[in-house]
Amino acid sequence: MLKITSKQLEVTALIRERIEGRLEKLSRHDIQLINPHVIITQEKQLFKIEASVGLPSGDLFAQAKSENLYAAITAMGQKLEKQLNRLTHKPQAQRHVSLPNDTESEFEYVYKEENAA
């Protein structure tokens, strides 16, 4: 259940649709979103969007500011997607590449042959 909180601004159907659309893109990763919460704040001429989403493996948080409300929603959605993508592909990332030990044994074998002759 998506929760949208707004300060000094009325949440219209278009705003709700845009936010739901951005969060639907997160569901492509086949991860259950737990209590997504979006806070919209208007500071002078800037719109500030904050989103926090719980996941079974952790939490996501993104914040974006822009003069255009819809641009801020898009930027916030992109930040969440990037975090989720990093989190879901982390186990597949190659952290350390080890060299095969076969080269060392070949050198030893060649060395032993030379000594035997």
Side-chain angles (χ1 to χ4, degrees):
M1 174 81 188
L2 174 64
K3 183 177 178 183
I4 300 176
T5 306
S6 174
K7 299 176 182 175
Q8 302 105 11
L9 183 72
E10 181 182 344
V11 179
T12 63
L14 280 174
I15 295 171
R16 179 174 278 283
E17 258 182 53
R18 179 66 68 99
I19 292 172
E20 287 174 352
R22 291 309 298 184
L23 291 179
E24 272 185 31
K25 290 187 176 187
L26 299 178
S27 64
R28 292 181 189 167
H29 293 275
D30 295 330
I31 292 180
Q32 179 186 4
L33 305 179
I34 303 170
N35 297 330
H37 186 204
V38 177
I39 300 171
I40 304 171
T41 309
Q42 184 175 6
E43 299 174 347
K44 295 183 182 177
Q45 301 208 348
L46 288 177
F47 290 100
K48 179 179 171 184
I49 308 280
E50 296 178 356
S52 62
V53 179
L55 300 174
S57 60
D59 293 325
L60 301 178
F61 178 80
Q63 171 179 315
K65 291 182 182 180
S66 179
E67 291 181 5
N68 183 352
L69 176 63
Y70 296 105
I73 292 171
T74 302
M76 178 264 315
Q78 289 173 344
K79 289 178 182 181
L80 285 174
E81 283 182 76
K82 188 175 181 180
Q83 288 178 23
L84 185 60
N85 191 23
R86 189 179 312 136
L87 189 68
T88 56
H89 295 333
K90 191 173 185 177
Q92 299 160 353
Q94 231 178 358
R95 298 287 181 206
H96 178 69
V97 178
S98 61
L99 296 173
N101 291 333
D102 296 338
T103 57
E104 293 176 11
S105 62
E106 287 178 17
F107 289 124
E108 290 176 19
Y109 181 73
V110 171
Y111 180 73
K112 288 179 183 176
E113 282 184 6
E114 289 176 3
N115 284 340

